Amino acid sequence: MEQLVYLNGEIVPYSEARIPVEDRGFLFGDGIYEVVRIYHGRPFAFDRHFERLRRSAAEIRLDLDIERLRADALDLIVRQGIEEATLYLQATRGVAIRNHAFPSEPVASVMMLVRSASAPSAAVLQNGVRCITLPDDRWARCSIKSINLLPNVLAKQQAVEAGCYEAIYLRDGYMTEGSSSNSWAVLDGELWTAPKSNYILGGITRDVLLELARQDGLPIREEPVPGWRLAAADEILISSTTSEVLPVVELDGRPVGAGRPGPVWERLYHLLQRAITVECRPELIEAR
Ligand code: PDD
């Protein structure tokens, strides 16, 4: 199946998709994005992603027809026909001669791509991942899912060069989130994660995990996690649409807890897998 691209209302072959050089996303990073995971051909937590897109658009004062984009996204998912995939959607403030101020009548430019994706490997689930901590040097509006990701890119690269999977940010001594994930710590049997604020992205996976954990009776603390407590954490986890939920077994070169994936991670992982099955493969549940 050839790779397709959705561009401003049309679905075209990848080789024919063109974005003008004066697109404000290219010039200024003046745009927002979403990443949705598709399992067995069906998008997971689709409504939540489009609600977040609506909020991001409102924050940057970008006029988007969310209902139309939602329908167009479903159409692209079906047309592209990849069972295990991600949908990437990017919306910018369109094309205009370079000037920082908004164009007088901006027309948003929207691009979507469906690409194949795979779940975290068995090795990653079995062995966990290593992370480093870094000072959170991003701006103060991290709740906007902005395409301005230069600090995140630099942090992730630093992690990769240190042989790690992710960089976990600390701001004013508190854990905020990862460069492309939300972060969690298990402290004295309670599951902690930073509360929603302008300093973190309100992750969809984070929202889903919080709901599942609460229903399952796990004690939750949506409170700032002091960085110094991470050294004594029983477990540290990261979550995102593409990584689902992963156990962090080493932080800054020191083992986390017992140095292997812990029971809270395992419980959350299975709760999430079940929620994915219920939403994207309901026939498997009904057949039982
Ligand atoms: N990143 N925090 C940041 C800074 C992120 O970039 C992401 C996701 C998350 C997790 O959000 P969610 O659970 O909605 O994926 C938290 C995506 C996957 C990316 O940039 O590719």
Side-chain angles (χ1 to χ4, degrees), residues 34-54:
E34 272 299 324
V35 181
V36 181
R37 184 70 161 82
I38 294 153
Y39 297 95
H40 316 291
R42 298 198 187 123
F44 180 66
F46 197 59
D47 294 347
R48 295 179 198 250
H49 282 282
F50 277 78
E51 272 317 302
R52 183 171 65 186
L53 181 66
R54 189 193 299 282

Side-chain angles (χ1 to χ4, degrees), residues 225-243:
V225 181
W228 64 266
R229 293 201 66 179
L230 295 176
D234 301 321
E235 296 180 41
I236 295 175
L237 322 174
I238 52 175
S239 66
S240 79
T241 295
T242 45
S243 295

Side-chain angles (χ1 to χ4, degrees), residues 81-100:
I82 308 176
E83 293 273 289
E84 300 301 314
T86 52
L87 168 80
Y88 177 79
L89 180 157
Q90 170 167 314
T92 73
R93 209 178 310 275
V95 183
I97 293 171
R98 187 175 182 280
N99 176 0
H100 288 62

Side-chain angles (χ1 to χ4, degrees), residues 33 35 52 145 177-182 201 203-205 240-241:
Y33 75 107
V35 181
R52 183 171 65 186
K145 202 161 169 64
E177 61 178 339
S179 73
S180 65
S181 58
N182 289 112
L201 180 75
I204 302 301
T205 320
S240 79
T241 295

Side-chain angles (χ1 to χ4, degrees), residues 154-267:
L154 295 176
K156 181 72 94 182
Q157 185 60 23
Q158 206 172 323
V160 168
E161 286 173 8
C164 291
Y165 184 85
E166 177 64 302
I168 295 179
Y169 284 126
L170 297 174
R171 192 188 283 258
D172 298 331
Y174 290 89
M175 176 172 80
T176 49
E177 61 178 339
S179 73
S180 65
S181 58
N182 289 112
S183 55
W184 310 69
V186 179
L187 305 171
D188 298 328
E190 292 179 318
L191 180 61
W192 292 60
T193 194
K196 275 191 187 167
S197 76
N198 54 314
Y199 291 126
I200 70 161
L201 180 75
I204 302 301
T205 320
R206 175 187 175 282
D207 283 349
V208 170
L209 286 171
L210 278 175
E211 279 178 28
L212 294 171
R214 286 205 172 95
Q215 283 162 16
D216 204 51
L218 261 170
I220 307 282
R221 299 277 289 267
E222 265 187 271
E223 282 175 44
V225 181
W228 64 266
R229 293 201 66 179
L230 295 176
D234 301 321
E235 296 180 41
I236 295 175
L237 322 174
I238 52 175
S239 66
S240 79
T241 295
T242 45
S243 295
E244 301 179 342
V245 57
L246 294 179
V248 178
V249 294
E250 198 183 290
L251 188 66
D252 293 330
R254 287 182 291 274
V256 175
R260 51 176 187 269
V264 174
W265 166 74
E266 204 172 330
R267 200 160 148 192

Side-chain angles (χ1 to χ4, degrees), residues 264-278:
V264 174
W265 166 74
E266 204 172 330
R267 200 160 148 192
L268 286 174
Y269 176 78
H270 287 295
L271 289 170
L272 183 61
Q273 295 310 311
R274 165 122 190 136
I276 291 166
T277 306
V278 166

